Short mmCIF file of all heavy atoms in Angstrom, two decimals:
data_model
loop_
_atom_site.label_atom_id
_atom_site.label_comp_id
_atom_site.label_asym_id
_atom_site.label_seq_id
_atom_site.Cartn_x
_atom_site.Cartn_y
_atom_site.Cartn_z
N GLN A 1 14.10 -6.13 2.56
CA GLN A 1 13.10 -6.48 3.59
C GLN A 1 12.36 -5.22 4.05
O GLN A 1 11.11 -5.23 4.19
CB GLN A 1 13.77 -7.18 4.82
CG GLN A 1 14.31 -8.52 4.47
CD GLN A 1 15.39 -9.01 5.42
OE1 GLN A 1 15.64 -8.34 6.45
NE2 GLN A 1 16.09 -10.07 5.03
N VAL A 2 13.06 -4.13 4.18
CA VAL A 2 12.45 -2.84 4.57
C VAL A 2 11.56 -2.38 3.49
O VAL A 2 10.39 -1.96 3.70
CB VAL A 2 13.57 -1.79 4.88
CG1 VAL A 2 12.87 -0.44 5.05
CG2 VAL A 2 14.35 -2.21 6.11
N SER A 3 12.02 -2.49 2.22
CA SER A 3 11.19 -2.05 1.15
C SER A 3 9.90 -2.83 1.02
O SER A 3 8.82 -2.30 0.74
CB SER A 3 11.98 -2.16 -0.18
OG SER A 3 11.24 -1.70 -1.31
N LEU A 4 9.97 -4.15 1.17
CA LEU A 4 8.81 -4.96 1.03
C LEU A 4 7.84 -4.70 2.15
O LEU A 4 6.64 -4.64 1.93
CB LEU A 4 9.21 -6.47 1.03
CG LEU A 4 8.07 -7.47 0.94
CD1 LEU A 4 7.23 -7.25 -0.35
CD2 LEU A 4 8.63 -8.90 1.00
N TRP A 5 8.33 -4.52 3.36
CA TRP A 5 7.43 -4.20 4.56
C TRP A 5 6.67 -2.89 4.28
O TRP A 5 5.50 -2.81 4.49
CB TRP A 5 8.28 -4.11 5.81
CG TRP A 5 7.43 -3.97 7.05
CD1 TRP A 5 6.84 -4.97 7.79
CD2 TRP A 5 6.97 -2.73 7.67
NE1 TRP A 5 6.12 -4.50 8.81
CE2 TRP A 5 6.17 -3.09 8.75
CE3 TRP A 5 7.19 -1.44 7.39
CZ2 TRP A 5 5.63 -2.15 9.60
CZ3 TRP A 5 6.63 -0.45 8.20
CH2 TRP A 5 5.83 -0.82 9.37
N TYR A 6 7.38 -1.85 3.85
CA TYR A 6 6.75 -0.57 3.57
C TYR A 6 5.73 -0.73 2.38
O TYR A 6 4.68 -0.06 2.43
CB TYR A 6 7.75 0.51 3.19
CG TYR A 6 8.32 1.20 4.46
CD1 TYR A 6 9.65 1.05 4.83
CD2 TYR A 6 7.50 2.02 5.20
CE1 TYR A 6 10.13 1.72 5.90
CE2 TYR A 6 8.03 2.69 6.33
CZ TYR A 6 9.35 2.50 6.71
OH TYR A 6 9.87 3.15 7.75
N THR A 7 6.04 -1.52 1.40
CA THR A 7 5.13 -1.77 0.32
C THR A 7 3.84 -2.41 0.80
O THR A 7 2.72 -2.02 0.45
CB THR A 7 5.77 -2.63 -0.77
OG1 THR A 7 6.88 -2.02 -1.29
CG2 THR A 7 4.78 -2.97 -1.85
N LEU A 8 3.93 -3.39 1.65
CA LEU A 8 2.76 -4.09 2.23
C LEU A 8 1.98 -3.10 3.11
O LEU A 8 0.73 -3.10 3.09
CB LEU A 8 3.17 -5.28 3.01
CG LEU A 8 3.78 -6.44 2.20
CD1 LEU A 8 4.32 -7.53 3.10
CD2 LEU A 8 2.74 -7.00 1.22
N MET A 9 2.65 -2.27 3.84
CA MET A 9 1.98 -1.24 4.60
C MET A 9 1.20 -0.28 3.74
O MET A 9 0.05 0.14 4.00
CB MET A 9 3.01 -0.39 5.47
CG MET A 9 3.37 -1.09 6.79
SD MET A 9 2.07 -1.02 8.01
CE MET A 9 1.99 0.75 8.34
N SER A 10 1.80 0.14 2.61
CA SER A 10 1.10 1.03 1.68
C SER A 10 -0.13 0.41 1.09
O SER A 10 -1.21 1.03 1.04
CB SER A 10 2.07 1.39 0.56
OG SER A 10 1.47 2.25 -0.37
N ILE A 11 -0.06 -0.87 0.70
CA ILE A 11 -1.22 -1.56 0.17
C ILE A 11 -2.27 -1.75 1.26
O ILE A 11 -3.50 -1.56 1.03
CB ILE A 11 -0.80 -2.88 -0.47
CG1 ILE A 11 0.15 -2.65 -1.60
CG2 ILE A 11 -2.01 -3.69 -0.92
CD1 ILE A 11 0.73 -3.94 -2.20
N ASN A 12 -1.83 -2.10 2.43
CA ASN A 12 -2.76 -2.33 3.54
C ASN A 12 -3.54 -1.02 3.86
O ASN A 12 -4.73 -1.05 4.18
CB ASN A 12 -2.01 -2.79 4.77
CG ASN A 12 -2.91 -3.41 5.85
OD1 ASN A 12 -2.46 -3.70 6.96
ND2 ASN A 12 -4.16 -3.58 5.56
N ASN A 13 -2.85 0.08 3.76
CA ASN A 13 -3.54 1.41 4.01
C ASN A 13 -4.64 1.62 2.96
O ASN A 13 -5.72 2.16 3.29
CB ASN A 13 -2.50 2.51 3.97
CG ASN A 13 -3.20 3.88 4.05
OD1 ASN A 13 -3.61 4.27 5.12
ND2 ASN A 13 -3.12 4.63 2.95
N LYS A 14 -4.39 1.25 1.74
CA LYS A 14 -5.36 1.44 0.69
C LYS A 14 -6.61 0.54 0.90
O LYS A 14 -7.67 0.82 0.33
CB LYS A 14 -4.75 1.18 -0.68
CG LYS A 14 -3.68 2.17 -1.05
CD LYS A 14 -3.09 1.89 -2.40
CE LYS A 14 -1.85 2.75 -2.71
NZ LYS A 14 -2.18 4.19 -2.70
N THR A 15 -6.42 -0.51 1.69
CA THR A 15 -7.61 -1.34 1.93
C THR A 15 -8.29 -0.98 3.26
O THR A 15 -9.05 -1.76 3.83
CB THR A 15 -7.12 -2.86 2.03
OG1 THR A 15 -6.27 -3.03 3.17
CG2 THR A 15 -6.40 -3.27 0.79
N ALA A 16 -7.95 0.22 3.71
CA ALA A 16 -8.51 0.69 5.04
C ALA A 16 -8.09 -0.15 6.19
O ALA A 16 -8.93 -0.44 7.09
CB ALA A 16 -10.05 0.85 4.93
N TRP A 17 -6.91 -0.67 6.14
CA TRP A 17 -6.29 -1.46 7.23
C TRP A 17 -7.07 -2.76 7.48
O TRP A 17 -7.35 -3.10 8.61
CB TRP A 17 -6.16 -0.65 8.51
CG TRP A 17 -5.41 0.61 8.35
CD1 TRP A 17 -5.81 1.86 8.50
CD2 TRP A 17 -3.99 0.71 7.99
NE1 TRP A 17 -4.80 2.77 8.27
CE2 TRP A 17 -3.69 2.08 7.93
CE3 TRP A 17 -3.01 -0.23 7.65
CZ2 TRP A 17 -2.44 2.58 7.56
CZ3 TRP A 17 -1.71 0.24 7.30
CH2 TRP A 17 -1.49 1.62 7.31
N SER A 18 -7.38 -3.48 6.41
CA SER A 18 -7.99 -4.79 6.57
C SER A 18 -7.00 -5.70 7.21
O SER A 18 -5.80 -5.64 6.96
CB SER A 18 -8.45 -5.31 5.19
OG SER A 18 -9.42 -4.49 4.59
N THR A 19 -7.49 -6.65 7.99
CA THR A 19 -6.59 -7.55 8.65
C THR A 19 -5.85 -8.40 7.64
O THR A 19 -4.62 -8.60 7.73
CB THR A 19 -7.35 -8.50 9.66
OG1 THR A 19 -8.08 -7.70 10.60
CG2 THR A 19 -6.40 -9.42 10.38
N TRP A 20 -6.61 -8.94 6.69
CA TRP A 20 -5.99 -9.72 5.61
C TRP A 20 -6.31 -9.00 4.28
O TRP A 20 -7.42 -8.47 4.07
CB TRP A 20 -6.49 -11.13 5.53
CG TRP A 20 -5.89 -12.05 6.60
CD1 TRP A 20 -6.40 -12.26 7.84
CD2 TRP A 20 -4.76 -12.81 6.45
NE1 TRP A 20 -5.57 -13.10 8.52
CE2 TRP A 20 -4.53 -13.51 7.72
CE3 TRP A 20 -3.79 -13.05 5.44
CZ2 TRP A 20 -3.47 -14.35 7.98
CZ3 TRP A 20 -2.71 -13.88 5.71
CH2 TRP A 20 -2.58 -14.57 6.93
N PHE A 21 -5.35 -9.00 3.34
CA PHE A 21 -5.56 -8.31 2.08
C PHE A 21 -4.72 -9.08 1.01
O PHE A 21 -3.78 -9.82 1.42
CB PHE A 21 -5.14 -6.84 2.10
CG PHE A 21 -3.73 -6.60 2.46
CD1 PHE A 21 -2.73 -6.52 1.50
CD2 PHE A 21 -3.36 -6.54 3.81
CE1 PHE A 21 -1.37 -6.30 1.88
CE2 PHE A 21 -1.99 -6.37 4.20
CZ PHE A 21 -1.05 -6.23 3.20
N THR A 22 -5.08 -8.96 -0.24
CA THR A 22 -4.35 -9.67 -1.27
C THR A 22 -3.46 -8.65 -2.08
O THR A 22 -3.76 -7.46 -2.18
CB THR A 22 -5.28 -10.35 -2.25
OG1 THR A 22 -6.17 -9.36 -2.81
CG2 THR A 22 -6.08 -11.44 -1.51
N ALA A 23 -2.34 -9.11 -2.55
CA ALA A 23 -1.43 -8.31 -3.33
C ALA A 23 -0.73 -9.20 -4.39
O ALA A 23 -0.15 -10.24 -4.03
CB ALA A 23 -0.40 -7.66 -2.45
N ALA A 24 -0.85 -8.84 -5.59
CA ALA A 24 -0.23 -9.59 -6.68
C ALA A 24 1.28 -9.36 -6.73
O ALA A 24 1.76 -8.28 -6.34
CB ALA A 24 -0.83 -9.19 -8.06
N ASN A 25 2.06 -10.38 -7.19
CA ASN A 25 3.45 -10.20 -7.23
C ASN A 25 3.89 -9.05 -8.12
O ASN A 25 4.85 -8.40 -7.86
CB ASN A 25 4.11 -11.51 -7.68
CG ASN A 25 4.06 -12.58 -6.66
OD1 ASN A 25 4.08 -12.30 -5.43
ND2 ASN A 25 4.06 -13.86 -7.07
N ALA A 26 3.18 -8.89 -9.23
CA ALA A 26 3.50 -7.81 -10.11
C ALA A 26 3.40 -6.46 -9.48
O ALA A 26 4.20 -5.51 -9.66
CB ALA A 26 2.61 -7.85 -11.36
N THR A 27 2.36 -6.29 -8.64
CA THR A 27 2.23 -5.04 -7.82
C THR A 27 3.36 -4.83 -6.87
O THR A 27 3.89 -3.74 -6.70
CB THR A 27 0.85 -5.06 -7.10
OG1 THR A 27 -0.19 -5.24 -8.05
CG2 THR A 27 0.67 -3.73 -6.35
N LEU A 28 3.70 -5.87 -6.17
CA LEU A 28 4.79 -5.80 -5.22
C LEU A 28 6.10 -5.51 -5.91
O LEU A 28 6.96 -4.73 -5.39
CB LEU A 28 4.93 -7.09 -4.43
CG LEU A 28 3.72 -7.53 -3.56
CD1 LEU A 28 3.95 -8.85 -2.88
CD2 LEU A 28 3.43 -6.38 -2.50
N GLU A 29 6.35 -6.11 -7.03
CA GLU A 29 7.59 -5.81 -7.84
C GLU A 29 7.61 -4.37 -8.21
O GLU A 29 8.70 -3.72 -8.11
CB GLU A 29 7.61 -6.71 -9.07
CG GLU A 29 7.82 -8.19 -8.78
CD GLU A 29 7.76 -8.99 -10.06
OE1 GLU A 29 7.88 -8.46 -11.18
OE2 GLU A 29 7.46 -10.21 -9.99
N SER A 30 6.49 -3.79 -8.68
CA SER A 30 6.46 -2.43 -9.16
C SER A 30 6.70 -1.46 -8.03
O SER A 30 7.45 -0.45 -8.20
CB SER A 30 5.14 -2.16 -9.84
OG SER A 30 5.04 -0.82 -10.20
N LEU A 31 6.08 -1.71 -6.87
CA LEU A 31 6.19 -0.75 -5.77
C LEU A 31 7.51 -0.85 -5.02
O LEU A 31 8.01 0.13 -4.45
CB LEU A 31 4.99 -0.89 -4.84
CG LEU A 31 3.67 -0.56 -5.38
CD1 LEU A 31 2.53 -0.82 -4.40
CD2 LEU A 31 3.58 0.92 -5.82
N SER A 32 8.00 -2.07 -4.83
CA SER A 32 9.17 -2.29 -4.01
C SER A 32 10.47 -2.24 -4.74
O SER A 32 11.55 -2.03 -4.14
CB SER A 32 9.09 -3.66 -3.29
OG SER A 32 9.19 -4.74 -4.21
N GLY A 33 10.40 -2.45 -6.10
CA GLY A 33 11.61 -2.50 -6.85
C GLY A 33 12.39 -3.80 -6.73
O GLY A 33 13.51 -3.97 -7.20
N LEU A 34 11.71 -4.80 -6.17
CA LEU A 34 12.36 -6.13 -5.99
C LEU A 34 11.95 -7.03 -7.12
O LEU A 34 10.94 -6.85 -7.80
CB LEU A 34 11.93 -6.73 -4.69
CG LEU A 34 12.35 -6.04 -3.38
CD1 LEU A 34 11.66 -6.71 -2.21
CD2 LEU A 34 13.86 -5.99 -3.20
N SER A 35 12.78 -8.09 -7.41
CA SER A 35 12.41 -9.07 -8.37
C SER A 35 11.46 -10.12 -7.78
O SER A 35 11.21 -10.07 -6.54
CB SER A 35 13.70 -9.81 -8.86
OG SER A 35 14.30 -10.48 -7.76
N ARG A 36 10.92 -10.98 -8.57
CA ARG A 36 10.04 -12.01 -8.04
C ARG A 36 10.72 -12.89 -7.00
O ARG A 36 10.12 -13.13 -5.92
CB ARG A 36 9.55 -12.85 -9.22
CG ARG A 36 8.51 -13.97 -8.85
CD ARG A 36 7.14 -13.32 -8.48
NE ARG A 36 6.65 -12.52 -9.62
CZ ARG A 36 5.88 -13.00 -10.57
NH1 ARG A 36 5.55 -14.28 -10.61
NH2 ARG A 36 5.43 -12.20 -11.49
N SER A 37 11.90 -13.30 -7.27
CA SER A 37 12.62 -14.13 -6.31
C SER A 37 12.98 -13.31 -5.05
O SER A 37 12.97 -13.82 -3.94
CB SER A 37 13.91 -14.68 -6.93
OG SER A 37 14.75 -13.59 -7.35
N GLY A 38 13.23 -12.00 -5.20
CA GLY A 38 13.54 -11.16 -4.04
C GLY A 38 12.32 -11.02 -3.17
O GLY A 38 12.47 -11.03 -1.92
#
């Protein structure tokens, strides 16, 4: 949960802190180290 939250924060920062942003599962898997089900 901590890893996923930090991953979303990292992506959100790259979008200049947009309120809503999109993130593909493949990107989340690569950055967080989690599986799709995780």
